[in-house]
Amino acid sequence: MEKMTQDQVRTIANMLRKRSLWMIHYCTGCGAMELPPTMTSRYDMSRLGLAPFVTSRQADILLITGYLNVKTLRRVITVYEQMLDPKYVIGFGSCALNGGVYWDSYAVIKQLDRYIPADLYIAGCMPRPEAIITAFQDLMDLIDSGKADGYKRYKRDLAYYKENQRKVLG
Amino acid sequence: MMGIVDKIKEIDGTKVTVQRENRIFVDVEKERVIGTLYSMKLIGFSQLSVLSVIDRIADNQFEIFYVLYNRDEKVNATVRVWIDRDNPVIETAEKIYPSAHAWEREIAEMFGVKVEGNEEAGKPFILENWNDLPPMRKDFDSIKYSSEHFVFRHSEDKNE
């Protein structure tokens, strides 16, 4: 058998990775409400190979459900740094995207991707389970094509992310 | 038989307003709050539902209110007291209603009210690294704070 090139190994690894994603959903806001129907028999996300998971060490996807304030951001960063590569972040709902209805709040951070790299955003308030399923399928396509490289960006631009984190967390 | 309203009216220094059935307001002076709460507990108001503050900035006062509930009579009574906004100090009610402990920590953090006798009031409770005005005060400018500390997302990167 011929020796496989790095590219071929990566292609096969990505193809396998996208078929078995474990998700830790860090329920920071009201968005957590949309996950039980997504997980259970009504929309049944396990048919796509996704499963909810309880620990950060074994999870592949970090789903940020809803707004993040200064207090929860600190915990989210801990969870994100505990996760092993490859790891993917989905920002869920308009609050993670731009603050949403909490845009003028003294506690809510406005842009998730200044603090941890987000691979995908789901817009809406609230996104329906259909939108979540679509987002998972999009994420699979991104993983397959190698474009979901948030964890690589986090390593490369660590100084940028740490500086932003330090600004809000002190 | 004596009604619950009459029983409250018997407590010294109270001004009772019956807004509707089961909804009673009791206005007291600052010095009489603890005594009133104790008397209210004795006549059957066994539960402290809410302790919070209204910022009466036009009068330069804080209105502290204790919502009490009487399970036997099914009556809500609100004990209200107005204190000076520039020097907001109240005495703790946690000896009478233990659940006041957490409420007092909250109003100490969110409004800057000093609570005498509650050792943990004033320690960080919900907010982390807060060094501005207490955020629930009316003169706290949330938008200004928000724009100073966080970066808003603008739509100009649409064209890229």
Side-chain angles (χ1 to χ4, degrees):
Chain A
M1 190 179 148
E2 283 175 49
K3 203 163 180 293
M4 280 202 288
T5 62
Q6 278 288 324
D7 276 354
Q8 285 168 322
V9 172
R10 206 173 294 132
T11 308
I12 293 173
N14 280 339
M15 197 179 77
L16 298 175
R17 269 173 195 155
K18 74 163 191 177
R19 282 176 167 73
S20 164
L21 291 168
W22 286 356
M23 174 189 76
I24 179 166
H25 48 286
Y26 185 76
C27 302
T28 58
C30 34
M33 215 52 233
E34 298 295 326
L35 287 173
T38 315
M39 289 172 194
T40 49
S41 56
R42 183 77 169 86
Y43 293 94
D44 192 18
M45 72 181 195
S46 53
R47 70 198 149 92
L48 301 172
L50 286 139
F53 214 72
V54 286
T55 67
S56 47
R57 299 272 184 205
Q58 281 91 348
D60 303 304
I61 304 178
L62 175 60
L63 191 63
I64 310 282
T65 55
Y67 57 83
L68 273 179
N69 54 34
V70 174
K71 194 166 187 169
T72 44
L73 177 67
R74 196 189 300 275
R75 277 79 188 169
V76 161
I77 290 166
T78 310
V79 168
Y80 182 71
E81 291 183 348
Q82 279 175 347
M83 289 165 67
L84 303 179
D85 288 350
K87 51 193 172 185
Y88 313 101
V89 178
I90 298 183
F92 177 101
S94 50
C95 291
L97 188 57
N98 59 9
V101 291
Y102 301 104
W103 67 276
D104 58 349
S105 165
Y106 59 88
V108 175
I109 62 151
K110 315 301 170 210
Q111 300 179 45
L112 173 65
D113 50 70
R114 285 179 64 83
Y115 309 100
I116 53 175
D119 292 300
L120 199 67
Y121 279 114
I122 313 174
C125 178
M126 302 300 301
R128 297 268 307 145
E130 294 95 324
I132 305 172
I133 296 286
T134 311
F136 286 145
Q137 284 169 335
D138 288 352
L139 181 69
M140 285 174 186
D141 292 341
L142 288 177
I143 294 170
D144 201 18
S145 58
K147 282 178 192 156
D149 56 351
Y151 62 98
K152 289 179 194 159
R153 275 184 281 136
Y154 191 67
K155 280 179 190 161
R156 195 187 64 208
D157 305 332
L158 192 64
Y160 166 79
Y161 289 113
K162 283 290 163 197
E163 193 198 336
N164 287 341
Q165 290 169 10
R166 233 172 273 128
K167 251 182 220 163
V168 278
L169 300 178
Chain B
M1 199 177 140
M2 209 172 172
I4 193 76
V5 178
D6 298 321
K7 282 187 187 170
I8 299 172
K9 276 180 182 164
E10 282 213 330
I11 301 170
D12 275 353
T14 54
K15 190 170 151 292
V16 181
T17 318
V18 181
Q19 184 168 319
R20 58 174 188 271
E21 200 188 353
N22 304 344
R23 198 80 182 89
I24 303 166
F25 289 97
V26 185
D27 292 295
V28 289
E29 293 297 312
K30 189 187 166 189
E31 291 75 28
R32 292 186 182 272
V33 179
I34 299 301
T36 307
L37 289 174
Y38 190 64
S39 310
M40 295 289 275
K41 192 166 190 185
L42 286 183
I43 60 175
F45 287 90
S46 56
Q47 174 186 318
L48 173 71
S49 304
V50 180
L51 191 182
S52 194
V53 180
I54 301 171
D55 191 352
R56 305 284 188 187
I57 194 166
D59 302 309
N60 203 29
Q61 302 257 301
F62 276 139
E63 179 186 333
I64 317 256
F65 61 93
Y66 303 75
V67 180
L68 309 174
Y69 187 60
N70 188 329
R71 283 166 184 271
D72 301 324
E73 309 270 342
K74 296 191 170 49
V75 172
N76 269 311
T78 306
V79 176
R80 298 187 294 199
V81 55
W82 288 47
I83 61 171
D84 185 16
R85 198 170 176 281
D86 298 324
N87 182 25
V89 183
I90 58 164
E91 210 177 316
T92 179
E94 68 173 337
K95 301 284 190 302
I96 304 162
Y97 295 104
S99 64
H101 181 85
W103 291 113
E104 282 168 358
R105 286 190 71 179
E106 191 186 29
I107 65 170
E109 180 155 75
M110 291 296 179
F111 291 91
V113 176
K114 285 195 189 67
V115 186
E116 285 179 345
N118 188 337
E119 285 177 9
E120 292 198 304
K123 286 186 188 171
F125 184 46
I126 299 166
L127 305 172
E128 288 185 359
N129 304 331
W130 191 262
N131 49 14
D132 210 295
L133 267 180
M136 288 289 150
R137 286 192 183 215
K138 288 264 171 71
D139 50 357
F140 172 74
D141 190 345
S142 188
I143 297 177
K144 184 165 164 280
Y145 183 90
S146 189
S147 52
E148 278 170 6
H149 287 76
F150 311 113
V151 182
F152 291 97
R153 191 186 295 281
H154 298 291
S155 54
E156 67 248 22
D157 37 314
K158 212 162 40 181
N159 302 328
E160 288 175 10

